[in-house]
Every structure is written in structure tokens, then in C-alpha cells.
């Protein structure tokens, strides 16, 4: 019994390493005969959305593991195979998956395909550098809630018997996101107006800024594949020094070197710029993290932002 218990624990320990957004891709999908529709999502945010709507009726696989930058992710030959064998492929879209775009376009002719951001109301999209739509739509919880219904419709197309269940789950999840939207707005409003500035590694947070009333400045632009120049860093040093911004933020899926350069630049000007912690940006967290679902990630981000930017509580008098 002891040995069996140990083995079970060991198996569980290994299982814990498998990211929640991406259930065991190594085994090549569910066991044969499972019978449930197999949906492949590109990013962890999209995998979460599909899972919220499909629940246990479907099997969701995610191409990109937690912590991976979708702008620069390249498909492996096995990814192409997994995509081709899917019953439905769901992408984020608006060129977020920069290096997968060609593959996804070719695939759309052969496998049922949905790019969720393409289904959002065009008038609510922001423009990124170069005039293209900004792909980081999941940071506006109310806007993202509008992606639930198209996912339900796509699932209903491949599994018509469960159409009503998908629609009901999508409506419930959209309602939860709208509630979260109101909560996030309240939290950010608790930061004094002059300190409501979010300086981050790359410009992923424009939708967050617009939705929740915080000015957003990215060191690197909307696409992580462009490099920040020295001029950009100097411009940002000027901004944080002149507005006495207490902290900048690093992101889970983007390199920290630009943020470090900014902290050093501010120090050279006599301004102590703290690190406000790590924000979930273009990827959710792994299992057991405080950002395993999009709702958790948005709440964790908001708490970190409020902690870092709201003034220190007054020291208690002796
Ligand atoms: Zn991004």
C-alpha cells in the first residue's frame, strides 16, 4: 500500500507540472475513443475562454504553454499536426500570433476555425503602432465577455446536441466578466489620479488603461519583437522622474532588460523607481498560480497595481 501511495503521489506530482492552459500535449491528445470534441487553442487566454464555455463536454489543448510570448511563438511540426487533427481551432487573432498567422490562414480552409478578436465590435478596438488593431483585447473584461457567444456558436457547430448548454455557459461566463469589469474599475479608481500611470515592459495594457481609467506607457510598443531604443528609455526616465511615479511593472511573458534600464536611468536622476511586481500580460499562469484563469490574472494584476501605485499608509503614531 505504501508503495502504491508513493507511486500515486509521484504521478500526481508529475501531473502538476502540466500547465492548466495546456492539458498534456505530450500524449498527443485524449485517449482514443474519448469521443469528446477536441479543441486546440493558441494562447492560454483563449484556452481559458474555450474551457469556460465548453466545460467538461470538450477537451481543450493549448499550443503555447504559460509564460510564452505569443508574438514570437513559432509552430513546431507537431503543432501543425495537432492543429490539423483538431475538431475546432480557436485563435486570439488580430495578428497576436504573429508567426503563426500564415499557418492559421492555411488551416482555416481545412479545419473549423475561429479567431475570437475578429468577432468583437470593430468600433471598440484600439489602434496599435502601424495602424493595425491592437490585439490585447482580453485586458478589457467587458470587451472579452463578447467573445464568449462566438465560442459557444463555434462549439455548437461541431457539437449541435449541446448547443443550448454552450449558449447558457457562455451567457453565465459573460455575466461574470461584466461583474469583474465593475470591480476592476473600482479598484483602479482607489489610486490617486496623478499616480494612475502604468509603465510596463511592452504596450499590452492599452485596453486595460481605457477600460479602467489608468494612463498606460509601454517601453517597447505593442509588439515584443521590436527593440526599445535608447531614446525611448530616456523619454520614459523623464516621465517617471517628472511625475514621481513610484513603480514600474515587469511582465510574465516579456524580457525585463528594458525595465531594468529604466530603473537605472531614474536612479541616475536621483529618483528611486521600484518594481511593482510581475503582471500577467500575454500569458496566464500555470496551475496553482494566482493567474491560472483570465479572471484571476486580471484580479491579481489590479491588486499589484493598486499596491504599487497607491500611497504608503501613514505610519502609526507612537
Ligand atoms: Zn503583447
Amino acid at each position: 500500500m505504501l508503495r502504491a501511495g508513493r507511486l500515486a503521489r509521484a504521478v500526481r506530482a508529475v501531473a502538476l507540472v502540466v500547465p492548466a492552459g495546456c492539458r498534456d500535449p505530450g500524449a498527443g491528445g485524449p485517449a482514443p475513443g474519448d469521443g469528446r470534441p477536441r479543441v486546440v487553442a493558441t494562447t492560454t487566454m483563449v484556452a481559458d475562454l474555450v474551457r469556460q464555455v465548453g466545460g467538461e463536454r470538450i477537451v481543450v489543448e493549448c499550443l503555447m504553454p504559460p509564460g510564452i510570448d505569443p508574438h514570437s511563438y513559432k509552430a513546431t511540426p507537431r503543432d501543425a499536426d495537432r492543429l490539423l487533427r483538431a475538431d475546432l481551432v480557436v485563435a486570439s487573432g488580430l495578428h497576436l500570433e504573429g508567426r503563426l498567422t500564415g499557418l492559421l490562414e492555411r488551416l482555416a480552409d481545412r479545419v473549423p476555425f475561429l479567431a475570437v478578436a475578429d468577432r468583437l465590435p470593430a468600433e471598440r478596438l484600439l489602434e496599435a503602432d502601424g495602424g493595425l488593431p491592437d490585439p490585447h483585447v482580453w485586458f478589457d473584461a467587458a470587451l472579452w465577455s463578447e467573445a464568449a457567444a462566438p465560442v459557444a456558436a463555434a462549439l455548437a457547430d461541431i457539437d449541435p446536441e449541446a448547443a443550448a448548454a454552450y449558449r447558457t455557459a457562455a451567457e453565465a461566463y459573460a455575466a461574470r466578466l461584466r461583474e469583474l469589469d465593475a470591480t476592476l474599475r473600482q479598484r483602479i479608481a482607489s489610486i490617486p489620479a496623478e499616480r494612475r500611470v502604468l509603465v510596463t515592459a511592452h504596450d499590452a495594457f492599452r485596453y486595460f488603461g481605457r477600460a479602467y481609467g489608468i494612463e498606460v506607457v509601454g517601453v517597447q510598443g505593442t509588439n515584443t519583437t521590436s527593440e526599445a531604443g535608447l531614446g525611448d528609455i530616456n523619454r520614459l526616465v523623464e516621465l517617471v522622474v517628472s511625475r514621481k511615479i513610484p513603480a514600474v511593472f515587469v511582465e510574465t511573458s516579456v524580457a525585463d532588460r528594458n525595465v531594468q534600464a529604466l530603473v537605472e536611468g531614474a536612479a541616475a536622476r536621483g529618483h528611486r523607481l521600484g518594481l511593482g511586481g510581475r503582471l500577467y500580460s500575454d500569458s496566464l499562469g500555470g496551475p496553482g498560480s494566482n493567474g491560472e484563469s483570465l479572471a484571476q490574472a486580471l484580479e491579481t494584476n489590479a491588486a499589484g497595481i493598486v499596491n504599487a501605485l497607491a500611497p504608503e499608509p501613514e505610519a502609526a503614531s507612537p
Side-chain angles (χ1 to χ4, degrees):
M1 283 309 285
L2 180 67
R3 289 186 59 179
R6 247 185 217 164
L7 179 64
R9 274 197 299 280
V11 168
R12 275 200 299 276
V14 170
L16 282 174
V17 177
V18 177
C22 305
R23 304 230 193 271
D24 192 12
D34 177 292
R36 291 182 291 169
R38 198 175 134 271
V39 182
V40 176
T42 54
T43 71
T44 49
M45 291 74 72
V46 171
D48 174 61
L49 172 66
V50 174
R51 196 167 288 123
Q52 299 291 345
V53 175
E56 294 299 313
R57 293 174 183 277
I58 58 171
V59 177
V60 182
E61 286 181 32
C62 177
L63 283 194
M64 304 179 199
I68 291 292
D69 173 8
H71 299 283
S72 57
Y73 182 81
K74 283 190 214 161
T76 65
R78 213 188 68 209
D79 285 344
D81 183 55
R82 286 164 71 195
L83 288 164
L84 270 173
R85 288 187 298 110
D87 294 307
L88 169 68
V89 172
V90 187
S92 200
L94 303 180
H95 293 271
L96 175 73
E97 299 97 337
R99 294 184 175 178
L100 290 184
T101 305
L103 174 65
L104 292 173
E105 279 170 0
R106 288 195 300 280
L107 197 87
D109 297 333
R110 300 174 62 180
V111 178
F113 176 78
L114 170 70
V116 291
D118 291 351
R119 299 301 185 87
L120 299 174
E123 69 277 9
R124 288 172 67 185
L125 300 181
L126 291 171
E127 202 175 277
D129 310 327
L132 291 168
D134 183 336
H136 302 89
V137 289
W138 56 91
F139 284 113
D140 176 341
L143 181 58
W144 192 244
S145 77
E146 306 222 7
V151 168
L155 290 173
D157 281 345
I158 59 165
D159 184 17
E161 280 180 19
Y166 295 134
R167 201 166 49 239
T168 305
E171 281 164 10
Y173 181 54
R176 270 174 53 209
L177 286 177
R178 288 193 298 269
E179 254 173 59
L180 174 64
D181 183 72
T183 307
L184 294 173
R185 192 166 300 104
Q186 269 177 0
R187 296 241 177 99
I188 299 301
S190 72
I191 304 168
E194 72 282 4
R195 286 183 171 213
R196 248 178 261 153
V197 184
L198 183 61
V199 182
T200 61
H202 91 298
D203 221 346
F205 294 88
R206 288 179 183 171
Y207 287 97
F208 186 88
R210 179 182 68 175
Y212 306 115
I214 184 165
E215 193 181 327
V216 170
V217 183
V219 182
Q220 208 180 10
T222 7
N223 189 323
T224 56
T225 52
S226 65
E227 283 287 320
L230 191 60
D232 298 324
I233 301 286
N234 289 339
R235 180 179 53 83
L236 281 168
V237 168
E238 189 56 44
L239 175 91
V240 299
V241 172
S242 63
R243 295 195 46 182
K244 300 186 173 62
I245 295 169
V248 294
F249 296 83
V250 286
E251 298 171 35
T252 53
S253 59
V254 180
D256 297 344
R257 60 184 184 283
N258 292 323
V259 168
Q260 289 299 346
L262 181 56
V263 170
E264 284 160 23
R269 299 269 306 270
H271 176 72
R272 194 180 166 281
L273 185 62
L275 285 182
R278 203 167 276 278
L279 298 178
Y280 291 104
S281 59
D282 290 2
S283 170
L284 302 178
S289 71
N290 54 10
E292 198 176 342
S293 68
L294 178 69
Q296 277 181 318
L298 289 175
E299 292 214 47
T300 299
N301 280 358
I305 292 165
V306 171
N307 265 338
L309 298 183
E312 303 280 321
E314 306 253 327
S317 39

